[in-house]
Structures are given as C-alpha cells and as structure tokens.
Amino acid sequence: YTVTGLQEGTQYWFKLLAYNNNVLPPYRSVLSNDAMGATLLSAPVATLEAVGERQLRVTWTNASPAATEFHVRRTITNNLNAWNETTPGNYVTDVVAAPQSSYLYPSNATLPESVYRVRVVAVKRDGSGQIISASVSPAELANWAPPNPLVDPQGSTAPLPLPPLPTVLDRAIGAPDRCVISWGSQVEQPYAGGFLRYEAQVIDLQPNAQAPGGWAEVGGWVSGYYVNNQPQVLVPADQDQEFNDEFAYHASVMNTTGAADARKRFRVRVHWDLGSTGESVSSVDVSGGYGPALDVDLCDCPALATPAAPNFHAYNWTEVAISWGLVPGVSHYRLLARGPGQANFENVLGDGVNLPAGTTQWLKTGLLPSQTWEFRLRAVNANVVPEIVSPLGDIVTTRTAPAHPTGFRVRPDSNTTNSMVLEWTDGWAGETGYNIAIYVGPDNPTVQDLDLGANWNGPFATTGSGSGLMSTVVGGLTPNRPYWWRLRAVDNSLAALGGPTLHSQQSTGNMMYYAFGSTRCELCAPSNLAIVSAAPTAVTISWQDNSFTEMDFQIQRSTTYSGVANPTTAQLAAGAWTVNDVVVPANGTQGTFTTQGATTMTGFQWFRVRPRNGATIGTPAYVRASVP
C-alpha cells in the first residue's frame, strides 16, 4: 500500500492488523508488535572535484534538514558495470555527521589513474541509533589520476589537515561592505622544511529554484588574498582573513544594499610552502582540501536585547509555568533549564527545538517535591545566517511543592463531642507551615468527590512549621457528623519575591482522610424539615440530609393525628402512618407526598421523613403542614 501526501522531514510510524471476514463474527489479529518508522528525506545531489594533487572531495546539497548523518559510498572501477548497490562489500562507506555537506578523501585513500563513482545517502536514525530512513543520491563519476605523494625529508606522507568551520567576527553592508571570518589555526605541520598558508574563498548564493528553501552557488569562487586589487601572499597561519571593500570589488558581488540579496558562502583551505614567507602565491608546493563551508548573510544586523529575568507562577504538585516579556526582532526563543544533579543548562525542548516568536510562557512538568530549578532565556533571530543570539537572561531559581507529610490521621481516642486531634509526620524541612482543609461536598462522597478541589474549604486550621511528629486540635465540630480532612505543607518564603505560595498536593488516597465525632451517624434523622407547597392531594417537603449510609428516604402521613395541631413527638411515634408512602433516593433532600384515588387532605396534617438502609430504618423527623 502506498501512502501519499507525506512531508519531508516528518517521521511516520506504521503498524499492521490482519483480518478474516469470511467467518461470523470476523477474526482480527492483534497489532504487530513492532511499529515501522520512516522519516521522509530528500535525496542529496553529489559532485566530485580534485583537490590539489592528492585528494578528492565529495560535495552534496543538504536538501534534508531531518537527516542526522550522510553516508558517502565510493567504488573504484574502470568498468562502470562493477557498481553493485545490493552488495555493501562492493563499496566503501564513510559516515559524515549532518549538517556537514562535504567529505575529503585523504590522500592515502585514493589510487592513481582510477575512476571513482560515488553516491551520497541521507540517513535518519532514531533515539536508539537504528536507521529508520535513507534516501540515495544519483551516481556521479569523476576521472582522477593522483601523482605519487610528496615525501618530506623524514619520509612522511601525511595529508594536509583541513581547516575547521569558520566563524563570523563582523559583517555589514554599507561603507564599507565587509565580512570578517575567523578559523582555528593548524598546529601540526605534516612536512618538514616549510610552513602553512591559508586561502579563503567566497562565492555568491541565490535561491535554488530546483530545491525550494535551499540555495545554489552562482558565479565562481574568488580567493581572498587580494588587497588593493593586487594579488598578495596567502594569509599567514593563525591570522584571520578580512573580506573588506577592496576584496568586495574583486568578488563583484558584495556591493549591494539589500541584505536579502547578499548571502555568501565562504570556505578556507590550507597550503604547504617549502620556501620562505616572502614568496609569491605561485610558490605553493602542496594544496590541501577545503574545510567545511560557511554561509553568511551580509547585513547590518542589530544586536538583540538581553531578555529580562523570567518569572514563575502557577505552581502545583508537578509543574511550574515560566513567563517572560517579548524581545523585539526575534524569530524564536530558547529556554534553558538546569535541574537537580545537572551541571549544565539544557534546552527545555531538546537540542535544535525552539519556542516560536510571540511565545511568552512555557510549562515545566514532571517535577518532584523539594527540587531546585534554574531557568535562563535566550532570544534568537534565525532569519539571517549565521543566526543572531542574545546574551542569556538572568537566572531564576525556584523550588517546587514541599514534600507531603506522612502518617496523617486522627489520633486514637482524641475525639470529643466537638473536637479531635489530627497528627502527622513532617516530610520536609523547607515548609513554612501547614494548612488543614475541611470537606464540604456531597454526603457519601465518591473518590471523585474527594478529589475535587471545589468540595474543600480552607484553611480550616493552620499550624507553623516543625519537624518529626506534629499535631493540632480542630474544634467547633458538630456531634454525630462525618468529617474529612486534607493536610498540605505550605511554603510562603517566595511570596515576597512575587512568586506563588507553594504547597504539597497528592492523590486522594494519600492526602484525604475521614474522622467522626463521638458517634458515627449511620442513619441520622434529617433536619430543617420545611413545607415547600401544600394542596389537598399533594404536599412537598424539603430537608437536610444528615445520614451517612441511607439507601433511600421514606415519606409518610400520620392517620392518627390528622387535624390535630400539637401532638407530642412520642404521640406521633406511637401513632399510625400511611402505607402508601413515598420513597426518595439516597442523598435526596426533597419529596412530594400524594394521596391515592379520591382521598384528600385538609387542615393540619403531620408527615415524617426517615432514612432507610434495606430493612434497617433510621431515626425519623416530623413536620406539620396546614392544607387549605
């Protein structure tokens, strides 16, 4: 099956199911254990060039930003039919890390008068190092016949070293046009009796119509050892090369006023001169290969402001939000963090992943109690090459929620008719106190009810910090009522800095407990009975649910004291009651008693509401209605 419409650089994973619909019900296999992953990569296009007298360079277009490396395959043949892609032993593979887009074969890896055929393969590996995608370039050919290697008096045949990737020291368009690049010096000198020289070159770049988003070279390479229109000796070792306005004249490409039209590619190579430093350029005896190329936009690029110190807020048990003010002229931000046990700051999103412009907040999750984290912010403008980065913003140090206390309970035999003692073991040395909240949600709460913050009021009581076994007395309680408690450690030390109050928070099973007064109220009588409406055939009654284990409520009318104004509670309890009662489900607080057939009610009528749990009947409560 062919999947279409995919995007280059995007990773896709696939699994497979097998079906048999010829039986009823149909059979279906389980998903295959291993998913097949692939990242679409654009094929590089490679070219070959002879470098000096002893080396061969492969250069390719890096058309796939998702590639993690490139495999340079070469085979030596004077018969083009000898290439065999299906037999890896038929060719030699050299691995080049992305984004490098060239590879120089050392002089001892090439044979005289041989035909080299080369392919470059863009490769993507997953986190475990497995290759999950590859894209092969078309084959390229080059005829090359290197001479015998240069031998120094000590008999060395070592190749000349490659210069490292240059860096930009200064760039501008205007008066004058300039770009100053720098590269590291070559310390080792492979041949005796001479010295190293450096040659820097520049070439124009223009948008590549064949590879949208890429750049193509146009014109020719111009060497950078010209000053005042006169050829000079090559740049001495350990010296930076300045491409100034005089050099720009010779390059004939740098006298532009628009930064978008001024992207250049620079490269540097090393030469070996057996003569003296006063010799001309033509005295070079051995030419080395070009080091990695550097693309540069020549522009008046203003420096980015240093981001202000980030702020932190919205703490809870596992996360904290970091926020900052916008910096003008950025394309994205990089937020760096350093957590417990980390020596260095690391990008919170991973290497090469950035927060887009306009972002002002990022949520750090997966935190643990008592951790210390530091955050720094960098603003970046990636619309030019190389990108412009601001200095790192100030460090913000913060702590996450305190560790939760353990052993939270009602001290045995401590409860009176209106108070009880709660105790726990301190779990952290950094709290400033403890908050105790009380549950006010529905009776007979579920786990979900207890886990809902809106069902808690607090702090009902507070304590200071401490260590070891701690306790507090909670008073003003109503006898025969259930109570649930929640305990949190609190850190207010950062509040003076504009931060939030930090508190511990855990799941229901660890942080919420229930306790009772002197008698557990299983089927207590409802209270606050009231007549909502009264009519000859229907009376609606409301009440407060005080029961803990009821399955329903039963509403009945007294047949003994119908029309009696003020019977005692004992008389009502001993009297007769209707059988055609009304049942209201558990936790209900209102119901309507209705008469049957032609029966009506007038004058004083007495009703009772009582909780029930199967055959077990709870304590009733009574209310009088005056029916018109």
Side-chain angles (χ1 to χ4, degrees), residues 123-445:
V123 175
K124 170 73 174 180
R125 293 185 185 270
D126 61 15
S128 63
Q130 297 296 315
I131 295 178
I132 59 174
S133 191
S135 184
V136 182
S137 71
E140 298 288 344
L141 301 178
N143 293 297
W144 186 56
N148 293 326
L150 174 69
V151 179
D152 75 354
Q154 284 75 38
S156 172
T157 59
L160 290 174
L162 293 180
L165 180 70
T167 58
V168 177
L169 298 184
D170 185 27
R171 57 182 169 183
I173 287 180
D177 299 327
R178 60 186 281 111
C179 179
V180 180
I181 64 171
S182 173
W183 58 89
S185 62
Q186 304 294 342
V187 178
E188 298 180 1
Q189 296 188 354
Y191 305 110
F195 54 91
L196 295 172
R197 297 183 187 274
Y198 291 93
E199 175 188 7
Q201 292 187 325
V202 63
I203 193 171
D204 251 351
L205 294 180
Q206 66 180 13
N208 190 344
Q210 283 70 42
W215 294 81
E217 298 174 356
V218 59
W221 288 93
V222 179
S223 294
Y225 46 80
Y226 288 87
V227 177
N228 296 325
N229 297 346
Q230 298 298 320
Q232 303 293 313
V233 296
L234 296 180
V235 182
D238 303 326
Q239 179 174 320
D240 298 336
Q241 172 64 55
E242 177 177 329
F243 291 90
N244 56 17
D245 48 354
E246 289 84 5
F247 173 65
Y249 170 79
H250 289 280
S252 71
V253 293
M254 298 171 67
N255 56 349
T256 178
T257 58
D261 300 324
R263 178 169 289 196
K264 313 299 172 189
R265 178 166 293 164
F266 296 94
R267 65 183 184 182
V268 179
R269 67 173 171 173
V270 65
H271 300 277
W272 184 255
D273 189 345
L274 293 176
S276 64
T277 57
E279 292 180 344
S280 66
V281 173
S282 60
S283 67
V284 170
D285 296 287
V286 180
S287 295
Y290 291 101
L294 173 69
D295 291 353
V296 180
D297 287 330
L298 300 183
C299 61
D300 291 314
C301 303
L304 292 173
T306 303
N311 297 314
F312 56 93
H313 56 90
Y315 283 91
N316 62 30
W317 171 246
T318 60
E319 61 191 31
V320 58
I322 306 299
S323 64
W324 57 87
L326 294 175
V327 176
V330 303
S331 60
H332 55 261
Y333 295 94
R334 290 178 188 151
L335 182 62
L336 310 178
R338 181 168 64 188
Q342 292 181 318
N344 302 314
F345 283 86
E346 298 178 357
N347 190 330
V348 296
L349 298 181
D351 292 340
V353 184
N354 303 296
L355 296 163
T359 305
T360 58
Q361 181 171 298
W362 187 80
L363 186 66
K364 172 65 176 175
T365 60
L367 304 181
L368 296 175
S370 310
Q371 289 182 333
T372 298
W373 282 82
E374 298 173 282
F375 298 91
R376 305 189 78 175
L377 186 67
R378 191 189 294 278
V380 180
N381 180 3
N383 295 319
V384 294
V385 179
E387 64 185 15
I388 301 171
V389 295
S390 73
L392 278 169
D394 294 336
I395 294 176
V396 173
T397 304
T398 185
R399 293 191 296 274
T400 64
H404 191 73
T406 59
F408 182 45
R409 66 171 185 166
V410 177
R411 183 181 296 171
D413 301 324
S414 69
N415 51 318
T416 68
T417 57
N418 61 2
S419 70
M420 62 187 69
V421 178
L422 306 178
E423 67 178 14
W424 64 92
T425 301
D426 175 52
W428 188 54
E431 82 280 353
T432 60
Y434 288 90
N435 289 349
I436 299 171
I438 188 170
Y439 178 77
V440 293
D443 288 348
N444 303 323

Side-chain angles (χ1 to χ4, degrees), residues 93 95 110 115 141 145 180 199 217 248 291 325 426 439 449 509 514 532 540-541 553 572 604 619 623 626:
T93 299
V95 179
T110 55
V115 176
L141 301 178
V180 180
E199 175 188 7
E217 298 174 356
D426 175 52
Y439 178 77
D449 292 330
Y514 63 84
V532 177
T540 299
I541 305 168
F553 288 94
L572 288 171
F604 295 127
T619 305
V623 65
S626 180

